[in-house]
Amino acid sequence: MKIAMIGSGYVGLTTGTCFAELGHKVICVDNNAEKIELLNSGKIPIFEPGLEKLVKKNTQKKSLSFTTDISFAVKESEVVFIAVGTPPKENGEADLSFVENVSKEIANAITKYTVVVEKSTVPVETGEKVAKTIENAGIKKELFDIVSNPEFLREGNAIEDFMKPDRIVIGVNSNKAKEIMQKLYAPINSPIIFTSIKSAEIIKHASNSFLATKISFINSVSRICELSGANIDEVSAGMGLDKRIGKSFLNAGIGYGGFCFPKDADAFIKISEKLGYDFKILKEAQNVNSNQKTHFIKKIHESLSGVFGKKIGVWGLAFKPNTDDMRFAPSIDILSELKKYGAKLYAFDPQAQNNAKKILPGINFCTDLFEAAKGADALLILTEWDEFKKTDLKKLKSVLKNPVIIDGRNIFDPKKMAENGFNYVSIGR
Ligand code: UGA
């Protein structure tokens, strides 16, 4: 099938490339000409394991191409995906101006029946707005259908999440569009759930918000563990074996970040408010998330008896491992606060350093993990990269000035750390 993917960011690029890999012919569009040039040369502007290889392979096969010309891409395609950003406004609401603009441009290019699919995360009722925008541009109802097909890709794991999803959600109100979407996803062997457009829009916001709440719940439990002397790892393991609860997303830490959970939870709170519901539990999940960072900073102050003039090594900046994404990373708030208190910060992240440099001024960026730890009064762990877990503890101890580690991701066993002579502080244990 012929597909246009409007927006070539994390979501659009991965989704478009994977559709090409499935055998469809995909044109990815972006208004950033530099990015399109880079992509046409087979290189990608982000770090996502395995993606560059697939982009190269499918561009060479001519099943994937890139352009800045929306009109051309829409005219060539039967299915047009909207995968542009929906960043948060100052008040937490989703900014739908990119979706709105792109909808107008799509409308101006429609000449035959086209399925317009919302891929971007949008509040409930956006589908109706997109339909109205297209109709207002003079396109007859019979010439297009709107579909909501939310994405559930995790950064760092996006290709596998696309190829083997737990479920595919398709919100659709017409049989014609339903059949086309079914054909599109036919090569994937996963359950498809067909819903109304509004339900699909809510499924996306509710899923991300539920997972965020799960993390805030376990982070709250980790506080009880600290106060009572229990161990959060044991508690999570004991809870997670209950199939109704499940093991995943029960890792306590410095809270969730990234461009999805914090902003989607805020947008869900806002749209609920607009509809007349006060989503208190979700507001509290956001509060707990923010307090978790403050609590971690308190641990650092206590462990070092103040941070003024202290040299602090930092391992990990990205909001999670296997990505170079710094958006809403907990490291931003934590390190900015420590800097304010006069700490000297030496950081290392395997992938996110270039992005971190743009938003974290006044931090010394190091070329490897030992350089960041060298001569430090304490070492912070803010992202659980695998290479940190495998580190040589003896060597680490020898380079640190003081063997103090404050671990926001619980990557080491406290017993082992004590045996190795570290003063090791972690979360909920
Ligand atoms: C999330 C969802 O998991 C995807 O299903 C969804 O498609 C995506 O948002 C999106 O809306 O685009 P992502 O933001 O890539 O994916 O990252 P996650 O792996 O979900 O992690 C989010 C944050 O939660 C990270 O900061 C991570 O460190 C934190 N987290 C995760 C915890 O603190 N504890 C956990 O147990 C799990």
Side-chain angles (χ1 to χ4, degrees):
M1 296 180 80
K2 290 183 165 179
I3 301 172
M5 184 66 60
I6 319 294
S8 304
Y10 274 101
V11 173
L13 182 60
T14 313
T15 310
T17 306
C18 288
F19 273 131
E21 179 70 13
L22 291 184
H24 299 301
K25 199 160 169 106
V26 182
I27 306 174
C28 286
V29 184
D30 205 283
N31 56 9
N32 180 336
E34 255 173 59
K35 191 196 265 187
I36 291 300
E37 212 171 291
L38 186 78
L39 289 164
N40 270 326
S41 71
K43 295 204 179 75
I44 64 170
I46 50 167
F47 174 77
E48 180 61 42
L51 188 59
E52 191 158 274
K53 213 170 116 199
L54 285 193
V55 169
K56 213 172 255 166
K57 178 180 158 197
N58 286 286
T59 18
Q60 274 163 5
K61 267 174 55 191
K62 306 240 178 299
S63 47
L64 179 64
S65 60
F66 300 93
T67 178
T68 51
D69 189 347
I70 289 198
S71 177
F72 164 76
V74 172
K75 287 194 171 90
E76 285 289 304
S77 307
E78 326 163 53
V79 184
V80 176
F81 280 85
I82 301 178
V84 293
T86 51
K89 288 190 199 169
E90 197 99 322
N91 68 356
E93 238 174 89
D95 179 352
L96 296 177
S97 56
F98 297 117
V99 173
E100 175 77 16
N101 291 343
V102 157
S103 305
K104 280 183 200 152
E105 292 191 62
I106 293 171
N108 290 337
I110 288 181
T111 50
K112 56 177 187 326
Y113 175 76
T114 305
V115 179
V116 178
V117 188
E118 296 172 341
K119 193 49 131 173
S120 308
T121 301
V122 289
V124 61
E125 296 180 342
T126 303
E128 284 176 353
K129 285 185 192 149
V130 171
K132 223 171 253 161
T133 304
I134 297 178
E135 274 175 56
N136 287 345
I139 304 298
K140 289 207 181 91
K141 274 191 179 134
E142 306 78 67
L143 220 51
F144 75 98
D145 273 309
I146 303 288
V147 167
S148 166
N149 172 217
E151 58 89 16
F152 301 103
L153 313 175
R154 286 163 301 169
E155 286 179 21
N157 216 49
I159 295 170
E160 185 168 331
D161 284 348
F162 182 94
M163 295 296 180
K164 294 179 197 157
D166 288 350
R167 81 305 203 185
I168 295 163
V169 174
I170 298 177
V172 58
N173 298 337
S174 98
N175 274 333
K176 195 171 173 187
K178 183 178 168 183
E179 275 168 28
I180 289 176
M181 292 305 289
Q182 229 159 358
K183 217 168 118 191
L184 200 62
Y185 279 106
I188 293 186
N189 188 19
S190 294
I192 298 188
I193 167 163
F194 291 101
T195 67
S196 69
I197 295 173
K198 285 183 185 175
S199 298
E201 290 167 334
I202 291 187
I203 287 170
K204 170 67 192 195
H205 263 165
S207 300
N208 272 3
S209 299
F210 185 83
L211 292 170
T213 308
K214 195 174 180 188
I215 297 168
S216 278
F217 187 87
I218 204 66
N219 279 333
S220 297
V221 176
S222 80
R223 301 288 286 276
I224 311 292
C225 289
E226 286 175 8
L227 293 167
S228 63
N231 180 322
I232 191 66
D233 293 346
E234 293 172 1
V235 174
S236 295
M239 287 169 65
L241 282 174
D242 184 328
K243 286 197 191 75
R244 293 168 304 172
I245 297 174
K247 286 183 205 165
S248 54
F249 282 72
L250 283 184
N251 295 325
I254 45 177
Y256 53 80
F259 204 55
C260 301
F261 288 176
K263 94 172 162 62
D264 291 353
D266 268 347
F268 204 26
I269 290 167
K270 278 286 161 194
I271 188 72
S272 307
E273 224 165 74
K274 269 194 176 167
L275 292 165
Y277 180 69
D278 184 7
F279 211 144
K280 285 189 184 149
I281 190 170
L282 193 52
K283 285 182 180 168
E284 197 45 36
Q286 293 275 69
N287 283 337
V288 167
N289 197 52
S290 153
N291 288 339
Q292 202 60 12
K293 286 176 270 190
T294 317
H295 181 60
F296 187 69
I297 293 168
K298 199 167 146 231
K299 279 178 191 271
I300 301 167
H301 282 295
E302 282 169 5
S303 304
L304 285 168
S305 308
V307 299
F308 183 80
K310 301 270 166 68
K311 182 172 180 182
I312 301 181
V314 180
W315 282 5
L317 297 162
F319 81 100
K320 66 171 192 177
N322 298 323
T323 179
D324 61 352
D325 199 343
M326 280 298 294
R327 292 175 297 176
F328 294 94
S331 64
I332 301 171
D333 290 340
I334 293 168
L335 299 183
S336 305
E337 191 68 12
L338 293 177
K339 212 162 56 71
K340 231 168 55 193
Y341 281 98
K344 293 185 212 147
L345 302 166
Y346 289 77
F348 172 71
D349 187 285
Q351 291 295 337
Q353 258 169 224
N354 282 342
N355 288 335
K357 277 177 195 162
K358 296 174 205 154
I359 45 176
L360 280 171
I363 287 182
N364 304 287
F365 292 96
C366 303
T367 48
D368 69 49
L369 60 175
F370 291 110
E371 192 192 326
K374 202 170 159 193
D377 293 287
L379 176 69
L380 311 182
I381 298 169
L382 303 185
T383 316
E384 66 277 34
W385 283 95
D386 263 350
E387 66 177 277
F388 301 163
K389 294 179 188 168
K390 293 181 202 146
T391 200
D392 177 344
L393 289 175
K394 281 207 177 83
K395 183 168 174 196
L396 176 58
K397 187 157 177 254
S398 73
V399 302
L400 283 166
K401 184 171 151 207
N402 296 321
V404 178
I405 296 183
I406 307 148
D407 180 0
R409 299 293 187 176
N410 287 358
I411 69 170
F412 295 121
D413 174 9
K415 242 193 216 153
K416 194 171 159 202
M417 295 307 275
E419 280 163 17
N420 278 279
F422 286 98
N423 173 3
Y424 178 68
V425 179
S426 56
I427 308 285
R429 41 186 211 166

